[in-house]
């Protein structure tokens, strides 16, 4: 389109300039001859192709319209009676001390008509080439993107149960083939990682459960001894509780590693009230070392559809943190119909720190304080896995309130 417009514009300008220059030179040459030879005939047509007139200012209206007298030296484009003329004007010569005017009119209407035809031709050509370019672009783009669409379709059809087959054999060694090759390499790395992870989980599950089973059976044998003292029995019970907690923690962490929910066909249900009692008994030695008391308020009977190990790990972290960060006061545990709230009177945190409590390795207080900062992160992951809701906020005292709402 730009080429067509430029061509027409340049053609029109050059054509008009050439015609104007030609007739102006012809008129100037004739007028020069007339001024040198007054015997030449004036006020007559001097060309069969163009209209040329030599007249005086007093008589030019006899052969030309009056407005021609207002034209200045040079060439002009005039429209008359639906036609277009280029008019050359010369008024600078005299004959017998009288001014003589020369006019040349060249009809260029046929040129305008040819220009209109040329515009029409260019328009048709432009539309034809535009349609052809559009169809060609559709064809080329469809053919060029066909391998990419094929690759996208293969990736969309993949599911977690689909066996990952190499993509490279289905594509040529071009840009899409290079992408498929890179995806194959990435998929292989992911597959190797998943296999190693599953093998590690299986090994950990086996290797950790074996010594814990040995400890648990040994504890049972020791407890069966009738000569054991009460002090020794208390220590053995602590070992037994720690072994049980380690077993539950191992099982729960394996669930998190596999990102799967353990749901038995019989829909295993757990009573958090009993678990809370056992958790508090496990923290009894810690509670003896500082003026902190625990209080349990059971407003309603609560039963949770989840493994005991999972509920125990979540509640152990919440109650353990409350006891840990409370130097003096009461840790209040409230059991409602669908939730459990753990309130403490500890050091608390600022509003800006609340969103960070579930971050891994984040610890309240000094950086060198004891702990790994993983407890609440594990709690959050377990809650997400079982669609539970965990919320921690500042309470009316200096401490925090953690509310666990079950689905």
């Amino acid at each position: 389109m730009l080429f067509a417009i430029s061509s027409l514009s340049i053609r029109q300008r050059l054509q008009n300039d050439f015609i104007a220059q030609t007739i102006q030179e012809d008129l100037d040459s004739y007028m020069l001859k007339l001024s040198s030879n007054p015997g030449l005939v004036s006020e007559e047509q001097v060309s069969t192709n163009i209209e040329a007139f030599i007249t005086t200012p007093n008589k030019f209206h006899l052969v030309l319209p009056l407005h021609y007298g207002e034209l200045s030296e040079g060439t002009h484009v005039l429209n008359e009676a639906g036609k277009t003329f280029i008019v050359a004007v010369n008024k600078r010569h005299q004959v017998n001390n009288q001014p003589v005017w020369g006019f040349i009119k060249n009809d260029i209407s046929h040129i305008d008509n040819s220009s209109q035809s040329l515009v029409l031709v260019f328009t048709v050509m432009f539309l034809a080439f535009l349609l052809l370019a559009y169809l060609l672009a559709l064809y080329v783009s469809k053919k060029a993107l066909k391998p990419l669409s094929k690759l996208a379709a293969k990736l969309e059809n993949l599911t977690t149960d689909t066996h990952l087959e190499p993509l490279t054999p289905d594509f040529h060694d071009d840009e899409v083939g290079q992408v498929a090759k890179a995806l194959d390499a990435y998929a292989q790395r992911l597959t190797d990682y998943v296999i190693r992870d599953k093998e590690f989980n299986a090994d950990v599950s086996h290797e950790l459960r074996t010594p814990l089973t040995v400890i648990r059976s040994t504890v049972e044998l020791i407890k069966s001894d009738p000569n054991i003292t009460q002090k020794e029995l208390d220590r053995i019970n602590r070992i037994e509780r720690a072994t049980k907690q380690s077993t539950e923690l191992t099982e729960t962490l394996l669930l998190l590693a596999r990102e799967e929910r353990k749901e038995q066909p019989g829909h295993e249900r757990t009573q958090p009230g009993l678990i809370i009692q056992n958790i508090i008994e496990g923290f009894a030695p810690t509670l003896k070392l500082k003026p902190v008391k625990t209080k349990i308020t059971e407003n309603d009977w609560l039963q949770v559809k989840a493994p005991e190990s999972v509920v125990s790990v979540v509640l152990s972290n919440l109650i353990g943190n409350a006891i840990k960060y409370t130097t003096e006061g009461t840790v209040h545990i409230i059991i409602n119909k669908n939730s459990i709230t753990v309130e403490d009177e500890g050091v608390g945190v600022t509003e800006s720190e609340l969103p960070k409590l579930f971050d891994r390795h984040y610890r309240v207080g000094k950086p060198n304080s004891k702990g790994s900062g993983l407890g609440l992160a594990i709690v959050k992951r377990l809650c997400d896995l079982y669609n539970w809701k965990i919320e921690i906020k500042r309470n009316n005292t200096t401490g925090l309130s953690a509310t666990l709402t079950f689905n």
Side-chain angles (χ1 to χ4, degrees):
M1 184 172 65
L2 290 175
F3 171 76
I5 294 174
S6 301
S7 300
L8 290 174
S9 177
I10 294 173
R11 173 183 177 275
Q12 185 71 26
R13 178 172 295 182
L14 292 177
Q15 186 172 254
N16 290 346
D17 290 347
F18 177 74
I19 293 173
Q21 181 182 358
T22 300
I23 62 176
Q24 185 66 51
E25 290 176 353
D26 290 344
L27 179 60
D28 291 344
S29 176
Y30 182 82
M31 294 299 293
L32 182 60
K33 292 178 181 179
L34 179 64
S35 62
S36 302
N37 186 7
L40 293 176
V41 179
S42 61
E43 297 182 3
E44 66 178 8
Q45 184 173 345
V46 296
S47 174
T48 58
N49 297 324
I50 58 176
E51 292 182 304
F53 303 94
I54 306 300
T55 182
T56 62
N58 297 327
K59 298 180 178 180
F60 85 93
H61 63 278
L62 300 176
V63 293
L64 291 170
L66 291 175
H67 63 272
Y68 275 63
E70 300 175 358
L71 297 179
S72 60
E73 283 271 342
T75 56
H76 306 271
V77 179
L78 301 179
N79 293 313
E80 295 179 356
K83 294 184 177 181
T84 303
F85 299 90
I86 293 181
V87 179
V89 180
N90 185 308
K91 296 182 178 180
R92 62 179 177 272
H93 294 282
Q94 293 183 354
V95 175
N96 298 326
N97 296 322
Q98 295 292 328
V100 178
W101 292 355
F103 298 88
I104 292 181
K105 293 176 60 178
N106 185 14
D107 187 359
I108 60 172
S109 300
H110 64 285
I111 298 177
D112 289 341
N113 294 333
S114 65
S115 297
Q116 293 176 0
S117 301
L118 196 58
V119 169
L120 179 61
V121 171
F122 270 123
T123 302
V124 173
M125 290 177 62
F126 168 72
L127 295 177
F129 277 109
L130 184 63
L131 178 61
L132 179 63
Y134 175 72
L135 296 177
L136 185 63
L138 287 180
Y139 172 75
V140 172
S141 61
K142 185 177 181 180
K143 187 173 182 180
L145 295 178
K146 185 177 180 180
L148 191 60
S149 301
K150 181 180 178 182
L151 177 60
K154 280 183 169 291
L155 294 176
E156 288 178 355
N157 293 330
L158 292 178
T159 62
T160 55
D161 299 328
T162 303
H163 176 67
L164 292 179
E165 296 181 356
L167 300 171
T168 306
D170 297 331
F171 300 93
H172 298 289
D173 190 16
D174 52 10
E175 290 81 359
V176 179
Q178 294 297 324
V179 173
K181 185 177 180 180
L183 287 174
D184 284 342
Y186 182 66
Q188 186 60 46
R189 290 197 299 270
L190 286 180
T191 301
D192 294 340
Y193 173 79
V194 171
I195 292 175
R196 289 196 304 268
D197 184 63
K198 288 183 177 180
E199 292 176 349
F200 172 78
N201 290 337
D203 294 341
V204 168
S205 176
H206 179 269
E207 297 300 329
L208 287 180
R209 286 176 180 176
T210 300
L212 290 174
T213 302
V214 172
I215 294 174
R216 188 165 57 250
S217 60
T218 303
V219 167
E220 292 176 356
L221 289 175
I222 296 175
K223 289 178 67 175
S224 63
D225 186 0
N227 297 323
I228 189 172
T229 64
Q230 183 62 39
K231 187 175 181 180
E232 292 173 341
L233 182 61
D234 292 339
R235 293 174 179 175
I236 293 299
N237 287 333
R238 289 184 60 188
I239 296 175
E240 185 178 31
R241 285 193 296 268
T243 304
K244 184 175 182 297
Q245 289 177 356
S246 298
T247 303
E248 293 172 346
L249 183 60
T250 301
E251 183 178 350
T252 303
L253 292 179
L254 288 174
L255 289 178
L256 284 179
R258 298 168 184 165
E259 292 188 352
E260 62 181 17
R261 293 171 57 171
K262 180 182 177 183
E263 294 182 351
Q264 302 293 341
H267 303 296
E268 180 181 358
R269 294 183 179 273
T270 302
Q271 296 183 21
L274 299 178
I275 296 176
I276 292 173
Q277 293 287 351
N278 295 330
I279 292 173
I280 293 177
E281 289 179 7
F283 282 103
T286 303
L287 293 172
K288 291 180 180 179
L289 300 178
K290 54 182 179 179
V292 177
K293 297 180 180 180
T294 59
K295 178 183 177 182
I296 302 176
T297 301
E298 193 167 357
N299 295 327
D300 207 334
W301 184 75
L302 176 61
Q303 187 172 255
V304 180
K305 183 184 175 182
E308 181 180 346
S309 58
V310 175
V311 179
S312 178
V313 169
V314 173
L315 293 178
S316 294
N317 277 284
L318 296 179
I319 296 174
N321 282 341
I323 294 175
K324 177 181 178 181
Y325 290 104
T326 301
T327 56
E328 182 178 0
T330 302
V331 174
H332 192 190
I333 304 168
I334 306 170
I335 303 176
N336 297 311
K337 184 178 181 180
N338 296 317
S339 65
I340 296 176
T341 300
V342 180
E343 297 181 348
D344 64 62
E345 298 178 2
V347 295
V349 297
T350 61
E351 287 290 342
S352 60
E353 290 179 305
L354 284 176
K356 303 177 183 178
L357 294 179
F358 296 108
D359 294 344
R360 290 175 62 85
H361 304 297
Y362 181 79
R363 288 174 292 175
V364 178
K366 298 180 180 179
N368 58 356
S369 60
K370 295 181 180 180
S372 59
L374 294 176
L376 289 180
I378 294 174
V379 169
K380 185 64 169 64
R381 290 184 60 190
L382 287 173
C383 290
D384 292 340
L385 187 63
Y386 282 87
N387 295 324
W388 299 340
K389 181 181 178 182
I390 180 67
E391 181 182 11
I392 299 179
K393 59 183 179 180
R394 301 172 67 182
N395 55 29
N396 296 329
T397 65
T398 58
L400 299 175
S401 295
T403 302
L404 176 63
T405 304
F406 300 98
N407 184 15

